[in-house]
Amino acid sequence: MLHYIKPYRYYAVLTIVFMVSEVLIDLYQPRLMEAIVNEGVLGLHHGGVPDLSLVMQTGLWMALIVAIGGVCGVMGGVCVNFCAQNFGNDIRKDCFRRILQLSMEQIDAFRTGSLITRITSDTTQVQTMVSAALRGVVRSLTFLIAGTAALLTLDIHFSLIAALAVPVILIEVALVVHKSNPLFLLVQQKIDALNGVMQEDIQGARVIKGYGQEARENERFGVANDDLAAAQLRVLLLIACLLPLVNIVMNTALVAVIYIGSFDVQSAMIGPGTVMAALTYVVLILNGILMFAMILQIFARGLTSKRRLEEVLETKPAIRDDGEDGETDGAVSRGRPTAIALHHVSFRYPGQQEDVLTDISLTVARGETLAIVGATGSGKSTLLALLPRFYDATAGEVFVDGRDVRTYALHALRGKMAIVLQKTELFSMTIGENIAWGMDAASDEEIRRAAKIAQAADFIERQPEGYGTEVTEGGTSLSGGQRQRIALARALIRKPEILLLDDSTSALDLRTESAFYAALDGYTRELRREGHDLTKIIVAQRIATARHADRIAVLDGGRLLACGTHEELLERSSIYREICASQFRAGASGKEKANG
């Protein structure tokens, strides 16, 4: 991830310069204090006569360099934060960009809760690690190296004390880091699990309330939260053991400095101020080591998060986007009679043993409307998902406008299509913005026209602020039918060549659904007069919806059993007759109950 630092390398260098300057100034002050005590107060080299002018001058000089050190510290903080924040910002953007590029099975493999943790918590940990590396490591190492050199200028005995204390502290630190390092991965995994539970419960709040399962979900969240707290407690207990151990070594070193220094003072080898300076240096050096120990903890956690982020950033999308934007030789988009063709297509989901689709061969002419019917689990939605390459076929080929879909750039392929799913996704923005979401720029007139075709105009205009009415997260402020109609308008405003409707009118009543398809037919005829064909593939549960299509494809168990008009299928497809009969019986039963 070092390449993320490169754009901000000058700020990183400035951080190091400012940090080293600040530490050197801190290390210079004990020498000034030594001069004040030995010469200014005790007058060791002036017959025991204090030199108050020296105290005054040195004190002013100390105040000046403290101010300079403060400026260096502030500037170092500004530079390191600018560098670290932008570093984290870039990683977060790249992670999110990569997640959007991943195929559906890859997103499922990572799990949504884990991806959220990686973009938020893991990025913050890596960002903190960079900040600690630029600021804390520089400070602690400078204290160790420069502080040891300063001790050598005072008395060799003091340096020996530091030389003995430092390895002991480093051994303590190494043991704690070794024990805690694997626990950081466990903590992040527990955060993943907690985020997963929270996401599921917040999204499913209505179901939880409807079934009265608040206590059950509170218990499930409590278990996940307890697991996280237990993992974090294990880490914190290890870290808590480190500080007392380091303090024992530090205080032992200070006692040794005072003890040895007292003999040197008695023999007049050094003055009391020198002992004070030595004590300060030893404290600074050992505090620097302690700081380094804390940084190693940050590094251990940051490196764990770094590996988790790299798993996302280095994952190659299973759906490769290395096709071409333009047309291949001889493949003229508008001129081909066939819009979609499937040749012996089979598909199975990753990790599954059985095919969901088996040996499907099917063509859809440009401007044709094809309905797909079949029992639940027959592969209708999966077949639709292969066209925009949400998944790639396990075997066989899928063609759009005479080209294998794998030869398209994804944005070019999906730019030809608009898809409306049964589960409608709306965003936290206005109704008008949700409709125009699929276009770079849409006029108010285009938004209203799309809403009118989708039978959404009436209810939108009854909203408090019309098209400017805010939609709550997930569209929960609207009914299921209202959400579906907004989604239909969002698809139509794109003016696609191919419209894919995956049971996208299931929440509409029969009259509204009929009005929508009538308006859609009128819109299709209008486009044809303008020289454009709209190809439609409709996954339908209702025969009343499917029977008006040009052709109907019947799927059963992942196989294409028949394809033809409503009348043709009634004659030659027993499965289709059974579906029609079951819906007719259900409809007749409903009418009897209503009349009764």
Side-chain angles (χ1 to χ4, degrees):
M1 289 187 173
L2 289 177
H3 63 280
Y4 285 102
I5 290 286
K6 191 174 180 181
Y8 315 106
R9 58 189 179 276
Y10 297 117
Y11 291 96
V13 171
L14 284 174
T15 298
I16 294 171
V17 170
F18 284 126
M19 290 298 100
V20 171
S21 300
E22 182 186 14
V23 172
L24 292 178
I25 288 172
D26 288 342
L27 291 172
Y28 184 55
Q29 290 185 63
R31 298 308 299 263
L32 295 177
M33 182 58 70
E34 177 191 14
I36 290 176
V37 173
N38 287 344
E39 306 301 331
V41 177
L42 300 177
L44 295 181
H45 294 87
H46 301 89
V49 178
D51 188 346
L52 296 181
S53 62
L54 177 64
V55 173
M56 184 65 69
Q57 292 172 3
T58 307
L60 291 173
W61 177 238
M62 285 184 68
L64 177 61
I65 65 170
V66 165
I68 295 172
V71 171
C72 289
V74 170
M75 294 304 298
V78 170
C79 291
V80 74
N81 284 317
F82 183 88
C83 183
Q85 289 295 328
N86 282 285
F87 169 85
N89 183 37
D90 291 345
I91 289 179
R92 199 174 287 113
K93 288 178 180 176
D94 278 0
C95 257
F96 187 73
R97 190 178 298 115
R98 177 50 55 90
I99 289 169
L100 292 183
Q101 292 172 347
L102 297 179
S103 63
M104 302 308 298
E105 68 263 27
Q106 288 174 310
I107 291 175
D108 292 340
F110 275 111
R111 301 193 314 275
T112 304
S114 177
L115 291 173
I116 292 172
T117 303
R118 293 173 199 240
I119 285 184
T120 53
S121 176
D122 284 318
T123 302
T124 300
Q125 295 299 333
V126 173
Q127 183 177 304
T128 303
M129 180 178 69
V130 169
S131 178
L134 290 176
R135 191 170 189 177
V137 172
V138 171
R139 284 177 61 87
S140 59
L141 291 181
T142 306
F143 271 128
L144 175 60
I145 297 169
T148 302
L151 267 179
L152 285 170
T153 63
L154 295 179
D155 192 309
I156 190 66
H157 299 115
F158 300 144
S159 299
L160 290 174
I161 293 169
L164 291 172
V166 168
V168 175
I169 293 176
L170 289 177
I171 291 171
E172 294 173 347
V173 170
L175 287 173
V176 172
V177 170
H178 176 71
K179 292 289 186 181
S180 62
N181 192 35
L183 295 178
F184 290 124
L185 176 60
L186 179 64
V187 168
Q188 295 306 109
Q189 290 172 341
K190 296 300 182 183
I191 295 174
D192 288 349
L194 186 68
N195 281 340
V197 173
M198 282 196 298
Q199 183 194 18
E200 288 177 353
D201 286 356
I202 291 171
Q203 288 181 344
R206 284 170 171 75
V207 176
I208 293 169
K209 293 178 183 296
Y211 281 81
Q213 293 300 311
E214 291 90 345
R216 178 195 293 268
E217 291 308 307
N218 275 328
E219 182 179 353
R220 192 161 74 104
F221 178 84
V223 170
N225 198 40
D226 289 344
D227 288 344
L228 173 60
Q232 288 178 326
L233 182 61
R234 290 172 64 186
V235 174
L236 293 174
L237 286 175
L238 279 171
I239 296 173
C241 292
L242 180 62
L243 187 58
L245 293 174
V246 171
N247 281 334
I248 290 170
V249 177
M250 185 183 299
N251 288 317
T252 302
L254 293 178
V255 171
V257 168
I258 294 171
Y259 181 75
I260 294 174
S262 65
F263 290 107
D264 290 342
V265 170
Q266 288 177 357
S267 62
M269 292 174 59
I270 59 174
T274 307
V275 177
M276 293 177 60
L279 288 171
T280 305
Y281 283 134
V282 170
V283 169
L284 290 174
I285 291 170
L286 298 183
N287 274 332
I289 296 297
L290 182 59
M291 184 191 307
F292 189 68
M294 296 298 105
I295 291 168
L296 287 179
Q297 300 289 333
I298 294 172
F299 264 71
R301 189 164 189 173
L303 290 172
T304 299
S305 294
K306 171 180 172 289
R307 288 191 291 270
R308 285 162 52 85
L309 288 170
E310 286 175 341
E311 287 178 3
V312 176
L313 293 169
E314 294 176 2
T315 297
K316 301 298 182 184
I319 305 296
R320 297 288 298 277
D321 189 10
D322 50 7
E324 302 173 6
D325 289 348
E327 300 293 338
T328 56
D329 293 340
V332 180
S333 174
R334 294 293 183 183
R336 285 189 175 274
T338 301
I340 296 168
L342 285 77
H343 294 169
H344 303 289
V345 168
S346 296
F347 175 78
R348 78 176 53 166
Y349 287 101
Q352 300 298 313
Q353 301 298 320
E354 298 181 0
D355 287 344
V356 179
L357 298 174
T358 304
D359 197 27
I360 302 287
S361 292
L362 181 67
T363 59
V364 183
R366 182 171 302 285
E368 184 181 12
T369 298
L370 176 74
I372 303 176
V373 300
T376 300
S378 59
K380 304 185 297 296
S381 297
T382 301
L383 190 150
L384 224 62
L386 298 181
L387 301 180
R389 289 191 73 195
F390 291 161
Y391 301 91
D392 275 336
T394 307
E397 298 168 308
V398 179
F399 291 88
V400 170
D401 286 338
R403 285 178 54 184
D404 191 316
V405 292
R406 288 168 291 195
T407 67
Y408 279 96
L410 286 176
H411 73 88
L413 174 65
R414 293 169 183 171
K416 292 174 174 288
M417 306 176 184
I419 185 167
V420 184
L421 304 174
Q422 182 179 11
K423 182 183 178 183
T424 306
E425 301 290 348
L426 297 183
F427 301 95
S428 301
M429 52 182 71
T430 67
I431 291 176
E433 288 170 338
N434 267 287
I435 293 174
W437 180 81
M439 286 189 69
D440 292 333
S443 65
D444 291 342
E445 182 181 350
E446 289 174 317
I447 292 172
R448 288 187 172 85
R449 185 186 183 202
K452 186 175 181 181
I453 297 171
Q455 307 303 301
D458 289 344
F459 88 80
I460 292 174
E461 290 167 1
R462 291 197 299 270
Q463 297 293 315
E465 298 180 35
Y467 289 87
T469 301
E470 290 287 336
V471 176
T472 58
E473 183 179 356
T476 55
S477 57
L478 302 171
S479 70
Q482 289 172 335
R483 292 197 298 271
Q484 280 193 339
R485 281 177 278 174
I486 291 174
L488 290 166
R490 182 170 63 197
L492 292 170
I493 202 172
R494 285 170 55 88
K495 298 179 182 176
E497 298 175 28
I498 300 170
L499 180 62
L500 308 175
L501 303 180
D502 186 4
D503 202 16
S504 53
T505 57
S506 59
L508 304 184
D509 62 83
L510 291 175
R511 185 173 66 177
T512 304
E513 182 185 40
S514 177
F516 164 68
Y517 280 113
L520 182 60
D521 288 342
Y523 176 63
T524 303
R525 290 192 295 270
E526 183 181 332
L527 289 176
R528 187 172 294 123
R529 287 193 296 269
E530 296 175 358
H532 303 290
D533 290 318
L534 176 61
T535 305
K536 301 185 288 292
I537 300 183
I538 303 169
V539 170
Q541 297 290 348
R542 300 168 180 165
I543 295 299
T545 302
R547 65 182 299 174
H548 298 296
D550 297 315
R551 287 189 300 151
I552 302 170
V554 182
L555 293 183
D556 186 59
R559 295 181 180 274
L560 179 62
L561 298 186
C563 187
T565 64
H566 173 68
E567 291 75 16
E568 292 171 344
L569 292 175
L570 284 176
E571 291 181 6
R572 64 172 190 255
S573 175
S574 59
I575 294 291
Y576 186 74
R577 286 195 298 271
E578 288 176 10
I579 295 173
C580 290
S582 65
Q583 292 193 15
F584 176 77
R585 287 194 298 270
S589 175
K591 287 181 180 179
E592 289 176 3
K593 289 180 180 179
N595 292 333

